[in-house]
Amino acid sequence: MDPPEILEDHSVTLTCSSDAKPAATFRWFKDIRTLLTEDPHLTLRSVHRSDSGKYHCVAENELGKTASEYVFINVEYPPETSSVSVNPPEILEGSSVTLTCSSDANPAANYTWFKDNRALLSEQEVHFSSIRSEDSGNYSCKSENKHGKSSWIPLFLDVQYPPRIPSVSVSVFVQILENSSVTLTCSCDANPAAAFRWFKNNQTLILEDPHLTLRSVHRSDSGKYHCVAENELGKTASEDIFINVEYPPETSSVSVNPPEILEDHSVTLTCSSDANPAASYTWFKDNRALLLGQEVHLSSIRSEDSGNYSCKSENKHGQSSSIPLFLDVQYPPRIPSVSVSVFGQILEGSSVTLTCSSDANPAASYTWFKENQPLLLEDPHLTFRSVHRSDSGKYHCVAENELGKTASEYIFINVECSLKPAAAAKITFTVLLFAFLPTFLWIRKFWRVSEQQEKRPANRTRVNMSPDINGPSAEAAEQLELHHSSIHFSENQEDCLNSSTE
């Protein structure tokens, strides 16, 4: 027979009765232990769960004693406050974990599990064969029987695990300009919480903080950064993040290769400037735009390419210009030209200068030759302060520098005689006399004829103008007078005169 349903805190009376003569006395026993009462009635006025047990009584008189059968007193009560235990106490990700719900109840309680206040399952135990970090949370259980249900205290299940792969974020979402402030943040899921270390180009930075702040970032701060998250269960490194610090071009510079620039050789000019992003380049020659590009390549440079070259470097943050570089193209002398200071005839005793000129770089030195014989003169000017007929001849010059030499064409110098003033005057007078004498004689003859005509009688109609062939005429007389004149030159003038008359 099922024991009666006795609720805790109720009153219960057990009565022992036995037919005996003389009348029996009674003693009570609970679980074989004698109770301090000798009465046929055993009253439990406020029954407690501890009163549950097997009871019996013994009836006794002088003739003997007899024991009753056992009666089971089952004190029922609702569940006490539930408790949750976890095994093992330290919960590591991937390990096996069991949660157990316990509650004192009679009859035995039914259990319902909750995670973060949401029903999970109806069992006394929750078993995780390989617990995960997502299983962390507040676990509680509810105990319930027909007499009531218990309250519960949540248990936080703290699953520990090594750091996940960290992520690095940058406070600047677009371009990073020099002198601005940049913060890198390393974040990582880990339990226990991770400590952080920063690395630049795989070199450790003296900083253990999830935030790396560059308050006035410099171009030298550009590079690959990563962080390492670590706790007692392990450590993990983030992926690299590249910090690219941008800035306008620095002062541009121009370099030339090869350094010595020879005509017809290949020459390359290069413009350089530190800039990020990389600069675009514009070339100028003598302040006039030339071309776009970092290099100017002259495959066969010419002397006309000499000049001041400069470049401008430019990106989206600014621009800079180089200091002009003078491109000095060197070349051997061109064919020299010879000029003469006298434009007409060259008279003996006059001053004459021959000038040799040639385009050359470096500047040429000059050597003079007469009749292919070198003269002891190295000067672009060959000066005869009082030229002599012996200076007549073929002249040329040679222009020379370290790159070569070139000869001019020949020029012929012809020194003509120059008369002294007295001789020149006599010759001039003689020439004029011979030039004007026929005119003078004709005029004289004409005057004489006119006078004769005036003296003759008016009735004479004919005049004989023919000269007398038997006697000398006036013209003949004049010519005779002329033949008696003579031109005399001094001995010093005879050679030059002969030379002139030839």
Side-chain angles (χ1 to χ4, degrees), residues 449-484:
V449 170
S450 299
E451 290 176 356
Q452 289 176 1
Q453 290 178 350
E454 291 176 358
K455 291 179 181 180
R456 287 178 183 174
N459 59 353
R460 294 188 63 180
T461 60
R462 298 181 61 185
V463 177
N464 187 0
M465 298 296 291
S466 301
D468 188 356
I469 61 173
N470 294 321
S473 66
E475 184 178 354
E478 293 294 337
Q479 290 177 352
L480 288 176
E481 293 177 4
L482 180 60
H483 284 306
H484 285 86

Side-chain angles (χ1 to χ4, degrees), residues 22-130:
T25 61
F26 300 93
R27 285 183 295 138
W28 287 95
F29 294 84
K30 177 189 178 188
D31 301 328
I32 312 177
R33 290 180 297 159
T34 303
L35 300 179
L36 297 177
T37 182
E38 293 183 359
D39 193 275
H41 304 287
L42 176 63
T43 300
L44 305 173
R45 298 193 181 281
S46 181
V47 70
H48 188 264
R49 67 194 67 180
S50 61
D51 294 326
S52 295
K54 292 187 298 178
Y55 289 80
H56 75 278
C57 66
V58 173
E60 182 178 7
N61 62 14
E62 57 265 29
L63 299 177
K65 59 182 178 181
T66 308
S68 70
E69 293 182 353
Y70 289 98
V71 63
F72 187 76
I73 297 300
N74 183 28
V75 180
E76 296 184 356
Y77 47 92
E80 294 290 319
T81 301
S82 304
S83 64
V84 176
S85 61
V86 58
N87 185 41
E90 187 178 36
I91 306 170
L92 302 180
E93 189 176 46
S95 64
S96 175
V97 175
T98 300
L99 301 180
T100 303
C101 186
S102 301
S103 180
D104 186 18
N106 190 20
N110 296 319
Y111 298 97
T112 304
W113 281 96
F114 296 85
K115 179 187 178 186
D116 300 327
N117 296 320
R118 288 177 298 178
L120 188 63
L121 55 84
S122 296
E123 295 287 345
Q124 189 175 7
E125 291 184 344
V126 177
H127 182 70
F128 301 93
S129 59
S130 179

Side-chain angles (χ1 to χ4, degrees), residues 323-384:
I323 298 173
L325 172 71
F326 183 72
L327 196 63
D328 188 24
V329 181
Q330 297 186 346
Y331 48 93
R334 310 302 191 206
I335 296 176
S337 64
V338 177
S339 61
V340 187
S341 61
V342 179
F343 295 99
Q345 62 183 2
I346 300 174
L347 300 179
E348 188 175 34
S350 64
S351 176
V352 177
T353 298
L354 306 183
T355 300
C356 184
S357 58
S358 172
D359 182 21
N361 188 19
S365 60
Y366 298 92
T367 305
W368 285 96
F369 294 81
K370 177 186 178 186
E371 307 293 349
N372 293 324
Q373 297 300 314
L375 303 177
L376 298 177
L377 179 69
E378 294 185 358
D379 193 273
H381 305 290
L382 175 60
T383 300
F384 302 93

Side-chain angles (χ1 to χ4, degrees), residues 198-403:
W198 285 96
F199 295 80
K200 177 189 175 186
N201 298 329
N202 295 321
Q203 300 296 315
T204 306
L205 301 178
I206 305 174
L207 179 69
E208 295 185 357
D209 192 272
H211 305 289
L212 173 61
T213 300
L214 307 172
R215 301 200 179 279
S216 182
V217 70
H218 188 263
R219 65 196 65 181
S220 61
D221 294 320
S222 295
K224 292 188 301 181
Y225 289 78
H226 76 273
C227 66
V228 170
E230 183 175 6
N231 66 11
E232 53 262 35
L233 301 178
K235 61 182 177 180
T236 314
S238 71
E239 294 183 353
D240 288 320
I241 185 170
F242 187 76
I243 296 298
N244 183 31
V245 181
E246 297 186 358
Y247 48 92
E250 293 291 314
T251 303
S252 306
S253 62
V254 176
S255 61
V256 59
N257 185 42
E260 187 178 32
I261 305 169
L262 303 180
E263 190 175 45
D264 295 328
H265 285 214
S266 175
V267 174
T268 300
L269 300 178
T270 303
C271 186
S272 302
S273 179
D274 184 19
N276 188 21
S280 59
Y281 299 94
T282 305
W283 282 94
F284 297 84
K285 180 187 177 186
D286 299 327
N287 294 323
R288 290 177 297 178
L290 186 62
L291 55 83
L292 299 177
Q294 190 172 9
E295 291 186 343
V296 175
H297 183 68
L298 303 168
S299 58
S300 180
I301 199 165
R302 300 171 300 164
S303 60
E304 305 91 87
D305 295 322
S306 294
N308 285 300
Y309 287 77
S310 61
C311 68
K312 180 179 72 175
S313 307
E314 185 173 12
N315 67 10
K316 60 185 176 180
H317 302 303
Q319 64 182 34
S320 73
S321 296
S322 70
I323 298 173
L325 172 71
F326 183 72
L327 196 63
D328 188 24
V329 181
Q330 297 186 346
Y331 48 93
R334 310 302 191 206
I335 296 176
S337 64
V338 177
S339 61
V340 187
S341 61
V342 179
F343 295 99
Q345 62 183 2
I346 300 174
L347 300 179
E348 188 175 34
S350 64
S351 176
V352 177
T353 298
L354 306 183
T355 300
C356 184
S357 58
S358 172
D359 182 21
N361 188 19
S365 60
Y366 298 92
T367 305
W368 285 96
F369 294 81
K370 177 186 178 186
E371 307 293 349
N372 293 324
Q373 297 300 314
L375 303 177
L376 298 177
L377 179 69
E378 294 185 358
D379 193 273
H381 305 290
L382 175 60
T383 300
F384 302 93
R385 301 199 181 279
S386 180
V387 71
H388 192 266
R389 74 194 73 174
S390 61
D391 294 322
S392 297
K394 291 190 302 179
Y395 289 81
H396 78 275
C397 66
V398 171
E400 181 177 6
N401 65 11
E402 54 260 38
L403 302 177

